[in-house]
Amino acid sequence: MSNVIAINAAARKHIADARGTSDEMLLESIAKGGRTAMHVLYSRHNVRVYRFVLRMVRDTTMAEDLVSQVFLDVWRTASQFEGRSQVSTWLLSIARFKALTALRQRKHEDIEQEDVLEIADEADTPEASLDRANTSAILRACVAKLSPAHREIINLVYYHEKSVEEAGAIIGIPQSTVKTRMFYARKQLAELLKGAGVDSLAA
């Protein structure tokens, strides 16, 4: 029994040590077959990758499947990471490629974005909850009207807080092109929001 307790304690310490490790060091360990490192990297990034993919494919089941594929690729190709970008940027690059491939394979690509259920704060009045839900729905609807290229830039820069450099690395375009797309995306989004009667978000 004491041996089992000692083994469990050692395993917990190993995981705790791994959690304090940088993404780059985790990848080095994964490249050597480190399952604990893989578990930690997955727990650290799976939600971000899932949200990124979901905004592209707009299908929860497909997004979950693609996230699994992304981390399976990481397990197989960790040794190929060259350190020219952040690990999170590399992960989103893999995710983007897989999402675009899946969209090409899907017959009906132009499926309207499903409305995300708004969970109201108990402290809200019904009117405040409705107003916030309506504003959020209008914003989603306006973003959905952007071209795929502009929608992708808004997604990366605003929802995933990627820098211009990181967004360029993920999409595979120069930083100057990212800036241009971002300028026109914001301008178009502001016009759409203004047309929908949401001037405060258009600024």
Side-chain angles (χ1 to χ4, degrees), residues 10-166:
R12 280 197 298 272
K13 184 180 185 306
H14 192 46
I15 291 172
D17 290 345
R19 287 192 191 283
T21 305
S22 70
D23 287 344
E24 290 76 13
M25 291 177 72
L26 287 174
L27 275 183
E28 286 180 18
S29 179
I30 292 166
K32 298 171 186 172
R35 291 183 179 275
T36 300
M38 185 70 225
H39 173 76
V40 173
L41 190 77
Y42 176 82
S43 65
R44 194 177 283 178
H45 292 286
N46 80 89
V47 173
R48 171 179 288 191
V49 173
Y50 172 77
R51 288 175 178 164
F52 174 74
V53 171
L54 184 61
R55 288 189 183 278
M56 292 185 71
V57 302
R58 302 173 187 176
D59 181 296
T60 54
T61 304
M62 181 183 285
E64 288 168 2
D65 182 50
L66 290 172
V67 170
S68 297
Q69 291 182 35
V70 168
F71 284 96
L72 185 60
D73 264 21
V74 170
W75 176 253
R76 291 172 176 162
T77 65
S79 61
Q80 296 175 20
F81 178 71
E82 297 176 355
R84 289 183 295 186
S85 64
Q86 291 184 2
V87 173
S88 61
T89 301
W90 183 61
L91 290 173
L92 292 186
S93 298
I94 297 171
R96 178 180 184 270
F97 175 78
K98 290 195 174 294
L100 289 175
T101 302
L103 284 173
R104 288 190 198 103
Q105 292 170 350
R106 189 164 67 178
K107 291 180 182 178
H108 307 291
E109 292 186 14
D110 195 23
I111 296 175
E112 288 189 13
Q113 188 171 11
E114 293 179 10
D115 284 339
V116 178
L117 291 175
E118 296 288 334
I119 301 173
D121 189 318
E122 290 178 3
D124 275 350
T125 63
E127 293 80 10
S129 296
L130 182 62
D131 185 55
R132 195 178 64 222
N134 285 343
T135 302
S136 182
I138 290 168
L139 178 59
R140 285 198 306 275
C142 290
V143 170
K145 288 178 184 176
L146 297 174
S147 69
H150 289 165
R151 193 165 60 236
E152 185 171 52
I153 287 293
I154 293 291
N155 184 11
L156 284 169
V157 175
Y158 292 100
Y159 289 106
H160 291 277
E161 300 178 348
K162 289 296 177 186
S163 66
V164 169
E165 183 180 3
E166 289 169 331

